[in-house]
């Protein structure tokens, strides 16, 4: 079929160029946004008397039919259109003739694609936002069940101080809380309607941009037409938000991978969410977590793609910008897939408190509490630290835990030690006494759960 822009050319485009140039294979997913945008535009053209009202009505009606037919699979995306915008306009014109040809009055594909992408990204931000809140809810639920489940906390992956599984899960809930806020922030910044920017320099027609804005549910219209067609900041921001989110999911995945190894055995994954080996009959592998960890890389890649294709582009539109789509779409698809599989996997895994406790009772994670015991009885902290260090040294030699030492052995290092030391360095005391704001004490974790619970409730409204 002859190109819409064939007028000034004396040759048809080379096949390799057509294939290279075409974005329809991947931008066809914008059909809904494209038709929604065109419908608003046509209504505005009719209302402003830029095209006859009856033709505007015919356009709007036929666009509705086309949308329905695409959704029902009755229209296939042919490969002779250059992109989704040309594709929809071609079908419309085939069906309603001249009226269809008037749709593009005072519009360019440059502001059209800018609009479509914004509509799409806004929609997907709302979807991802909902999935993150679902995951946070899951973390909250698990935390509430495990406010007393003692496990070792680590630094340098060395056993450090006791925490609880609930406390641990709340750390991840707080990371996701920031992810939710970041997405809301990106949404708010990008909530401007670019249609009416034209190719780059606005238009001579008496358009009503605010009317289009209102129909499409944007908070404002873009202020400058050059910026309106060339701004892809929101693609970078979205990919950046999603990269950070994936980094969080990847860290959680890594922990789960460690925790279900025989070395830790803090959790057991459900059979439905694990995979086997083709040769080793005993294997039960955490493939889901490994894939989430691995897929983090492709979301980072999308961020690099957007940052790089925009760098050095002169104003306004350049075809380089077509590269935003595959990157942004892939990042969105990847994140949604990961969240959708992570939640049920997490929900069905079994926590093994006994194993956590066993791990916590070795490695002297109550050593700080032993030093604190002395400090609270008046010994300066540095001295208490030194005494406890000597005790730990003795325990290592004797292959004992601090709690296994006799009172005589304690007293040999300091007369201050009394019978109450055993209670002070008991793991559940160690956790219960860490009541400082943000700490692992059960009542404190309950408070944290409350904060996240209220956050989830308050932020659900964003999706509607
Ligand atoms: N498919 C193009 C894109 O995604 C649409 C805009 C094309 N504009 C143009 N002047 N060639 O960026």
């Amino acid at each position: 079929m002859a190109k819409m822009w064939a007028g000034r050319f004396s040759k048809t485009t080379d096949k390799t160029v057509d294939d290279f140039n075409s974005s329809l294979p991947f931008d066809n997913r914008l059909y809904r946004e494209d038709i929604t945008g065109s419908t608003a535009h046509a209504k505005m053209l009719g209302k402003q008397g830029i095209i006859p009202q009856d033709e505007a009505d015919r356009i709007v009606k036929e666009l509705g039919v086309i949308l329905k037919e695409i959704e029902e699979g009755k229209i296939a995306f042919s490969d002779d259109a250059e992109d989704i915008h040309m594709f929809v306009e071609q079908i419309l014109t085939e069906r309603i003739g001249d009226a269809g040809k008037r749709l593009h009055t005072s519009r360019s594909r440059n502001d059209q694609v800018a609009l479509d992408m914004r509509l799409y990204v806004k929609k997907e931000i709302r979807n991802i936002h909902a999935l993150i809140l679902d995951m946070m809810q899951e973390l909250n639920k698990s935390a509430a069940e495990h406010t007393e489940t003692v496990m070792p906390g680590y630094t340098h992956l060395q056993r450090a101080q006791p925490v609880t599984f609930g406390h641990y899960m709340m750390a991840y809930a707080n990371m996701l809380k920031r992810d939710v806020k970041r997405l809301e922030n990106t949404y708010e910044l990008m909530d401007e309607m670019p249609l009416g920017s034209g190719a780059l320099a606005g238009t001579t027609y008496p358009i009503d941009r605010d009317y289009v804005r209102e129909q499409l549910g944007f908070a404002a219209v873009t202020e400058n037409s050059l910026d309106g067609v060339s701004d892809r900041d929101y693609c970078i921001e979205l990919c950046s938000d999603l990269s950070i989110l994936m980094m969080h999911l990847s860290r959680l995945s890594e922990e789960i991978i460690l925790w279900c190894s025989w070395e830790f055995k803090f959790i057991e994954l459900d059979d439905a969410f694990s995979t086997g080996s083709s040769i080793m009959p005993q294997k039960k592998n955490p493939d889901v977590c490994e894939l989430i960890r691995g897929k983090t890389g492709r979301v980072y890649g999308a961020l690099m793609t957007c940052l790089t294709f925009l760098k050095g582009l002169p104003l306004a539109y350049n075809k380089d910008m077509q590269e935003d789509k595959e990157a942004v779409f892939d990042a969105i698809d990847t994140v949604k897939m990961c969240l959708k599989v992570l939640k049920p996997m997490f929900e069905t895994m079994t926590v093994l408190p006994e194993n956590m406790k066993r791990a916590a009772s070795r490695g002297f994670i109550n050593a700080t509490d032993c030093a604190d015991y002395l400090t609270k009885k008046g010994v300066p902290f540095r001295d208490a630290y030194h005494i406890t260090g000597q005790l730990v040294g003795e325990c290592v030699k004797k292959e004992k835990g601090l709690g296994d030492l006799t009172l005589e052995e304690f007293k040999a290092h300091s007369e201050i030690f009394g019978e109450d030391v055993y209670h002070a360095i008991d793991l559940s005391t160690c956790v219960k006494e860490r009541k400082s704001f943000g700490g692992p004490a059960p009542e404190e974790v309950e408070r944290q759960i409350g904060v996240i619970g209220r956050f989830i409730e308050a932020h659900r409204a964003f999706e509607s």
Side-chain angles (χ1 to χ4, degrees):
M1 186 194 284
K3 298 252 173 8
M4 285 182 190
W5 39 257
R8 63 100 62 220
F9 291 84
S10 54
K11 281 189 180 174
T12 56
T13 359
D14 192 85
K15 169 88 169 68
T16 57
V17 175
D18 270 341
D19 293 344
F20 190 57
N21 212 19
S22 171
S23 53
L24 190 62
F26 49 85
D27 70 12
N28 64 38
R29 70 162 78 189
L30 294 176
Y31 70 87
R32 176 176 274 280
E33 286 69 31
D34 196 70
I35 290 175
T36 308
S38 288
T39 303
H41 180 65
K43 283 187 186 160
M44 184 278 291
L45 292 177
K47 179 182 84 70
Q48 296 297 94
I50 298 171
I51 66 171
Q53 185 61 54
D54 62 321
E55 297 206 2
D57 294 342
R58 286 180 67 196
I59 294 173
V60 170
K61 186 162 167 252
E62 197 55 40
L63 283 174
V65 176
I66 294 172
L67 176 61
K68 193 158 169 281
E69 287 181 21
I70 294 178
E71 251 149 27
E72 287 168 354
K74 288 190 189 142
I75 297 179
F77 296 108
S78 65
D79 51 11
D80 63 350
E82 195 176 306
D83 53 31
I84 186 64
H85 326 293
M86 298 281 213
F87 177 78
V88 173
E89 195 181 326
Q90 254 168 36
I91 300 184
L92 183 73
T93 304
E94 275 162 26
R95 295 187 178 183
I96 62 171
D98 279 358
K101 290 192 205 157
R102 289 194 216 281
L103 169 63
H104 211 52
T105 310
S106 94
R107 186 176 71 170
S108 158
R109 267 188 299 157
N110 299 349
D111 56 350
Q112 190 178 355
V113 74
L115 172 68
D116 292 4
M117 267 310 264
R118 282 194 197 231
L119 283 170
Y120 185 81
V121 167
K122 279 179 67 180
K123 175 177 84 183
E124 291 299 349
I125 286 181
R126 291 194 299 268
N127 288 336
I128 294 170
H129 184 274
L131 291 171
I132 304 175
L133 290 185
D134 292 345
M135 187 63 209
M136 286 172 73
Q137 189 85 59
E138 227 24 76
L139 290 165
N140 238 20
K141 217 172 88 194
S142 159
E145 285 163 22
H146 294 288
T147 54
E148 314 241 350
T149 306
V150 176
M151 68 179 276
Y154 298 82
T155 63
H156 314 270
L157 200 57
Q158 301 289 318
R159 290 176 195 166
Q161 290 180 343
V163 294
T164 65
F165 190 69
H167 187 230
Y168 220 105
M169 291 305 104
M170 291 319 288
Y172 281 100
N174 276 282
M175 297 182 208
L176 296 189
K177 179 182 170 199
R178 292 194 294 276
D179 292 319
V180 165
K181 286 177 150 183
R182 257 187 287 274
L183 283 174
E184 289 179 3
N185 196 26
T186 297
Y187 190 96
E188 193 192 320
L189 267 178
M190 69 167 295
D191 198 6
E192 293 182 351
M193 205 286 298
L195 202 68
S197 300
L200 73 162
T203 175
T204 55
Y205 294 94
I207 58 171
D208 184 349
R209 295 191 63 203
D210 201 56
Y211 174 78
V212 177
R213 171 200 72 73
E214 211 189 321
Q215 286 187 79
L216 297 174
F218 282 89
V221 294
T222 51
E223 281 283 334
N224 176 288
S225 62
L226 288 162
D227 184 43
V229 290
S230 46
D231 173 23
R232 296 292 184 277
D233 291 4
Y234 61 92
C235 295
I236 298 177
E237 286 198 64
L238 173 72
C239 289
S240 161
D241 298 347
L242 298 185
S243 292
I244 298 174
L245 166 64
M246 285 301 293
M247 176 269 288
H248 291 154
L249 302 186
S250 181
R251 291 180 76 171
L252 177 59
S253 297
E254 169 64 14
E255 306 244 39
I256 295 174
I257 292 165
L258 288 173
W259 290 341
C260 68
S261 71
W262 281 109
E263 282 67 17
F264 282 79
K265 263 293 167 249
F266 288 179
I267 57 127
E268 172 95 36
L269 290 176
D270 192 85
D271 280 1
F273 290 90
S274 327
T275 47
S277 155
S278 58
I279 170 172
M280 297 166 281
Q282 83 283 14
K283 288 302 282 291
K284 185 168 166 185
N285 296 329
D287 284 25
V288 168
C289 293
E290 293 164 56
L291 275 172
I292 293 173
R293 195 175 57 183
K295 284 177 190 294
T296 302
R298 57 197 286 171
V299 178
Y300 289 5
L303 173 61
M304 279 306 132
T305 298
C306 292
L307 282 168
T308 311
F309 83 72
L310 280 160
K311 170 186 170 299
L313 288 192
L315 298 181
Y317 179 83
N318 298 272
K319 195 66 174 233
D320 315 45
M321 290 173 159
Q322 182 166 285
E323 289 295 309
D324 61 355
K325 304 207 173 44
E326 285 159 295
V328 167
F329 296 163
D330 189 66
I332 289 171
D333 293 348
T334 303
V335 162
K336 284 167 74 180
M337 233 183 341
C338 290
L339 284 166
K340 280 181 192 166
V341 66
L342 178 62
K343 184 181 162 258
M345 188 208 76
F346 184 83
E347 209 178 341
T348 52
M349 78 186 190
T350 310
V351 177
L352 302 169
E354 281 310 311
N355 294 351
M356 291 183 182
K357 184 138 195 222
R358 198 171 314 130
S361 55
R362 312 206 55 190
F364 310 103
I365 67 175
N366 49 0
T368 313
D369 301 84
C370 182
D372 287 343
Y373 166 86
L374 292 172
T375 304
K376 284 171 189 165
K377 295 201 176 227
V379 181
F381 180 73
R382 269 294 155 239
D383 294 339
Y385 173 95
H386 186 73
I387 293 166
T388 310
Q390 289 177 330
L391 280 166
V392 169
E394 187 176 330
C395 285
V396 171
K397 272 193 221 118
K398 295 182 171 167
E399 292 187 8
K400 281 182 168 185
L402 281 171
D404 305 326
L405 291 174
T406 62
L407 193 55
E408 286 64 47
E409 286 171 313
F410 273 114
K411 281 189 180 289
H413 291 268
S414 167
E415 265 308 311
I416 306 225
F417 281 114
E419 198 54 54
D420 55 350
V421 68
Y422 295 103
H423 176 71
I425 63 172
D426 183 81
L427 287 179
S428 61
T429 315
C430 298
V431 163
K432 284 199 178 99
E433 290 305 314
R434 289 186 144 71
K435 292 183 219 151
S436 55
F437 195 88
E443 70 213 70
E444 174 47 30
V445 172
E446 295 287 358
R447 186 197 60 76
Q448 298 171 32
I449 293 170
V451 171
I452 294 293
R454 286 189 294 280
F455 178 89
I456 295 171
E457 242 166 60
H459 289 254
R460 283 281 182 207
F462 177 80
E463 289 133 36
S464 50

